[in-house]
Amino acid sequence: EVHLLESGGGLVQPGGSLRLSCAASGFTFSTYAMSWVRQVPGKGLEWVSAISGSGDTTYYADSVKARFTISRDNSNNTLYVQMNSLRADDTAVYYCSRHPPRLPFDYWGQGILVTVSS
Amino acid sequence: DIQMTQSPSTLSASVGDRVTITCRASQSFSSWLAWYQQKPGKAPKLLIYKASSLESGVPSRFSGSGSGTEFTLTISSLQPDDFATYYCQQYNRLWTFGQGTKVEIK
């Protein structure tokens, strides 16, 4: 059974940093691209960043470019996002998800809350 | 960037109603369009991919259609479990979600 579990969220001050992790199990992790998607409580979904299965290609939404860095450790089946220069509008629930080639996001984690506030 | 616009933002309906949600794209693309259902406090669930393909395990009352710039999600007979928020997503070039349509009880 596919399982994705995010961790690392919490409260951080504006300008601070946080690293989220997503532990994957139940599938061959290295063969799937992965993404981070966020959702401000009560609002819609926003795609944040994606990484290829090998980790050599990354993509970012304009809203996080140059501040967030996505990465993965295929030996430990874990996806990461390093979030720097955090702002209040980065406050959201962050989901990790997987997407097979030319298919949308078929499995999602349960989400982790990141709150940016002083 | 491809922008996705859903309508309506909120839809009030009764059990048994036929419901249609529309998603319009800012530029034309083939069929790389998905629909998700999300309930409060839960992760989104994939319903439809490639505009009209039903994800495994999803009830057949859900269907999708469209291409180019206009796509629709139809629920043929609304069930109590279907009251939720629905999102379209293009995955033709990067990934973009619509703003969501909340289906609420009339």
Side-chain angles (χ1 to χ4, degrees):
Chain A
E1 182 187 358
V2 173
H3 195 57
L4 300 170
L5 182 64
E6 302 93 343
S7 61
L11 176 64
V12 61
Q13 292 189 337
S17 298
L18 207 59
R19 188 177 83 157
L20 303 183
S21 301
C22 171
S25 60
F27 65 102
T28 305
F29 183 65
S30 62
T31 64
Y32 286 83
M34 300 291 294
S35 273
W36 290 97
V37 176
R38 68 184 181 184
Q39 185 172 38
V40 174
K43 301 298 183 182
L45 301 167
E46 179 189 17
W47 170 77
V48 171
S49 183
I51 187 168
S52 62
S54 63
D56 57 5
T57 304
T58 58
Y59 307 89
Y60 297 93
D62 288 343
S63 58
V64 305
K65 205 171 288 184
R67 299 188 301 123
F68 288 14
T69 302
I70 192 171
S71 62
R72 63 191 297 159
D73 179 349
N74 286 344
S75 63
N76 286 307
N77 295 342
T78 305
L79 174 73
Y80 302 99
V81 62
Q82 176 68 42
M83 304 185 294
N84 297 332
S85 303
L86 283 162
R87 312 184 302 222
D89 62 0
D90 294 316
T91 295
V93 173
Y94 285 74
Y95 296 97
C96 66
S97 62
R98 77 166 201 181
H99 33 113
R102 263 325 191 183
L103 285 174
F105 304 169
D106 62 350
Y107 283 92
W108 299 63
Q110 88 288 349
I112 191 88
L113 178 63
V114 172
T115 303
V116 184
S117 175
S118 55
Chain B
D1 293 4
I2 301 175
Q3 309 301 319
M4 306 300 293
T5 304
Q6 284 182 236
S7 60
S9 296
T10 307
L11 189 160
S12 298
S14 302
V15 172
D17 283 353
R18 181 181 181 88
V19 166
T20 298
I21 299 168
T22 298
C23 183
R24 289 187 172 87
S26 62
Q27 54 186 272
S28 180
F29 56 88
S30 184
S31 301
W32 308 117
L33 191 284
W35 290 95
Y36 299 86
Q37 176 193 67
Q38 188 181 32
K39 296 183 178 179
K42 299 293 187 182
K45 173 188 174 183
L46 179 63
L47 300 175
I48 301 284
Y49 63 94
K50 211 172 178 185
S52 60
S53 296
L54 196 66
E55 176 72 349
S56 176
V58 174
S60 59
R61 62 181 179 272
F62 291 93
S63 64
S65 65
S67 66
T69 60
E70 187 161 327
F71 301 86
T72 59
L73 172 71
T74 300
I75 309 172
S76 60
S77 178
L78 199 64
Q79 298 302 301
D81 191 48
D82 302 337
F83 292 98
T85 301
Y86 294 84
Y87 295 92
C88 63
Q89 178 207 37
Q90 68 81 19
Y91 53 104
N92 178 71
R93 175 171 163 73
L94 299 183
W95 301 267
T96 314
F97 292 93
Q99 81 278 17
T101 295
K102 183 178 181 179
V103 177
E104 59 183 26
I105 300 173
K106 190 173 185 178

